């Protein structure tokens, strides 16, 4: 089977106040604005190899506009589009997408927009920020804890296992691990990857009736110390930490979650394993094993179950996760007397 996708290249989000979000990304996250086109603002991390990795678009509510993957070749782009359409989904070809040229965009079976492309514009740093490292696209940011690059995106879906199966079967993602509740055989979280990382696509269970929601998107810092400095700096600047720093059992990354002005969730992470095994068999974790918090020294805050846009429908809680599942996730140690 031809390898179709190489890596996540950018995430596009919507926000009711573009300028507030952009200012936050510049001043608190450490990203740089590189372009403005028809109301869209394009930003990049100091270590991103391409022109941008985050697009901020005007919208009525915080949401995922699209998640973009670069294919492994021009031929792989054509093949990926064929496979998507053979699965019964009709996408569209877009010409002259900003700095990536021709792209194929479709909405997956669970409502998430995905953009596939091969062509890119590589970042060329102007002289005053050009790095002395020939392979580094730009100097390291002067903002404490600024991420080196975009890392992954985690979306929400009504059926985690079915979501995984479609992305594996159609686009060739590798299924790396999942979490099943201790109390019942219900899959609540899975991770997939297009490369050697533990994941560049995550998926959490969504009990709402709204398709295509996103839980968070993540940026990468080089070291655990930088992540801790970022946490310290955010707190000093009055930015609340939602969860972490801590370590995920799945993936083994050190993590930190906080929010941008629209309420969208940002993760910083670092560490974790690299996996090159072509026939890897995904392990099934339980919350009691520390799939989310490997130290098992505290429950995940209720706010982490919130995805975007806001949930709707009478069968869902405000956060979009059925109450009994949410409670099991938030207090995974109760069955062992450790709540």
């Amino acid at each position: 089977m031809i390898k179709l996708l190489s890596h996540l290249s950018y995430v596009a989000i919507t926000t009711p106040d573009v300028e507030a979000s952009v200012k936050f990304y510049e001043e608190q996250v450490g990203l740089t604005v590189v372009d403005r086109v028809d109301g869209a603002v394009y930003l990049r991390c100091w270590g991103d190899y391409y022109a941008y990795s985050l697009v901020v678009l005007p919208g009525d509510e915080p949401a995922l506009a699209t998640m973009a993957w670069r294919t492994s070749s021009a031929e792989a782009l054509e093949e990926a589009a064929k496979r998507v359409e053979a699965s019964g989904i009709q996408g569209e070809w877009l010409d002259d997408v900003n700095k990536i040229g021709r792209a194929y965009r479709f909405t997956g079976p669970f409502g998430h927009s995905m953009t596939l492309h091969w062509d890119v514009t590589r970042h060329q740093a102007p002289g005053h920020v050009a790095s002395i490292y020939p392979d580094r696209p730009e100097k390291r940011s002067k903002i404490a804890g600024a991420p080196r690059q975009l890392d992954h995106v985690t979306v929400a879906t009504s059926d985690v296992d079915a979501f995984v199966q479609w992305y594996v079967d159609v686009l060739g993602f590798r299924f790396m691990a999942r979490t099943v509740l201790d109390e019942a055989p219900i899959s609540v979280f899975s991770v997939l990857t297009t490369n050697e990382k533990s994941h560049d696509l995550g998926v959490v269970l969504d009990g709402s009736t709204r398709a295509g929601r996103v839980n968070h998107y993540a940026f990468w810092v080089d070291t655990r110390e930088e992540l801790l400095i970022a946490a310290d700096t955010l707190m000093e600047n009055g930015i609340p930490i939602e969860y972490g720093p801590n370590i995920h059992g799945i993936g083994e990354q050190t993590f930190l979650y906080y929010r941008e002005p629209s309420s969208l969730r940002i993760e910083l992470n670092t560490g974790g394993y690299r996996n090159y095994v072509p026939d890897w068999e995904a392990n099934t974790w339980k919350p009691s094993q520390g799939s989310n918090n490997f130290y098992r020294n505290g429950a995940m805050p209720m706010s982490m179950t919130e995805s975007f846009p806001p949930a709707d429908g009478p069968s869902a809680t405000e956060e979009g996760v059925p109450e009994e599942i949410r409670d099991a996730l938030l207090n995974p140690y109760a069955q062992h007397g450790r709540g």
Side-chain angles (χ1 to χ4, degrees):
M1 176 179 178
I2 181 177
K3 176 176 168 54
L4 297 178
L5 308 183
S6 60
H7 60 269
L8 179 69
S9 58
Y10 73 86
V11 171
I13 61 166
T14 61
T15 173
D17 190 337
V18 169
E19 293 308 317
S21 291
V22 169
K23 181 179 180 182
F24 185 87
Y25 284 110
E26 287 185 295
E27 297 180 359
Q28 304 298 337
V29 185
L31 273 58
T32 303
V33 172
V34 293
D35 207 357
R36 291 175 177 265
V37 181
D38 298 330
V41 183
Y42 297 79
L43 301 100
R44 65 182 305 280
C45 306
W46 63 267
D48 284 325
Y49 293 105
Y50 307 147
Y52 57 85
S53 59
L54 178 67
V55 186
V56 181
L57 300 161
D60 294 334
E61 53 190 353
L64 176 70
T66 195
M67 48 182 176
W69 265 261
R70 192 180 185 201
T71 60
S72 61
S73 65
E75 294 75 18
L77 174 59
E78 300 291 335
E79 178 64 21
K82 289 178 182 178
R83 294 188 185 188
V84 168
E85 296 189 354
S87 76
I89 291 176
Q90 185 65 49
E92 63 175 333
W93 286 100
L94 306 173
D95 293 320
D96 298 323
V97 178
N98 190 30
K99 300 187 187 306
I100 64 169
R102 184 170 178 259
Y104 181 76
R105 184 169 294 169
F106 65 94
T107 299
F110 294 92
H112 302 92
S113 171
M114 196 168 187
T115 302
L116 308 179
H117 65 98
W118 164 245
D119 292 330
V120 293
T121 299
R122 288 173 171 77
H123 179 66
Q124 297 292 326
H128 68 287
V129 291
S131 175
I132 61 172
Y133 291 87
D135 296 330
R136 185 177 289 182
E138 190 169 302
K139 287 180 180 177
R140 184 179 292 271
S141 172
K142 294 180 180 180
I143 294 179
R148 187 183 189 111
Q149 59 201 29
L150 180 67
D151 188 71
H152 69 263
V153 59
T154 294
V155 299
T157 183
S158 59
D159 188 330
V160 171
D161 291 340
F163 181 101
V164 168
Q165 198 63 55
W166 191 89
Y167 279 82
V168 168
D169 290 346
V170 176
L171 292 174
F173 277 85
R174 286 200 299 154
F175 174 33
M176 303 303 290
R178 69 171 181 163
T179 300
V180 172
L181 293 181
D182 288 88
E183 296 82 355
I186 300 173
S187 295
V188 294
F189 177 65
S190 285
V191 288
L192 306 98
T193 190
T194 57
N195 46 62
E196 79 282 359
K197 294 192 300 185
S198 68
H199 68 292
D200 49 15
L201 178 60
V203 54
V204 299
L205 183 63
D206 188 354
S208 80
T209 60
R210 194 161 193 178
R213 301 207 300 158
V214 63
N215 185 268
H216 67 269
Y217 40 94
F219 297 102
W220 174 267
V221 294
D222 284 347
T223 66
R224 188 174 184 177
E225 288 72 21
E226 287 180 85
L227 186 142
L228 297 177
I229 289 171
D232 187 67
T233 303
L234 288 165
M235 292 291 288
E236 291 272 30
N237 290 340
I239 310 301
I241 302 301
E242 185 176 19
Y243 188 29
N246 216 305
I247 293 177
H248 292 311
I250 288 182
E252 302 180 25
Q253 298 101 338
T254 299
F255 67 84
L256 167 71
Y257 294 94
Y258 61 101
R259 304 289 190 101
E260 64 115 280
S262 74
S263 78
L264 284 166
R265 181 179 297 107
I266 298 169
E267 180 186 6
L268 289 183
N269 70 4
T270 191
Y273 61 75
R274 293 294 182 263
N275 185 311
Y276 302 89
V277 181
D279 55 352
W280 176 255
E281 294 185 8
N283 286 307
T284 294
W285 288 66
K286 301 292 181 67
S288 60
Q289 293 176 293
S291 57
N292 187 38
N293 173 353
F294 193 67
Y295 292 141
R296 290 167 279 184
N297 59 355
M300 182 178 72
M302 183 183 297
S303 62
M304 286 293 297
T305 65
E306 180 183 1
S307 293
F308 312 92
D312 60 4
S315 64
T317 66
E318 183 180 355
E319 295 80 25
V321 177
E323 186 173 358
E324 65 275 12
I325 295 177
R326 186 194 70 205
D327 290 346
L329 285 171
L330 297 181
N331 191 8
Y333 320 117
Q335 67 271 25
H336 303 296
R338 298 181 55 192

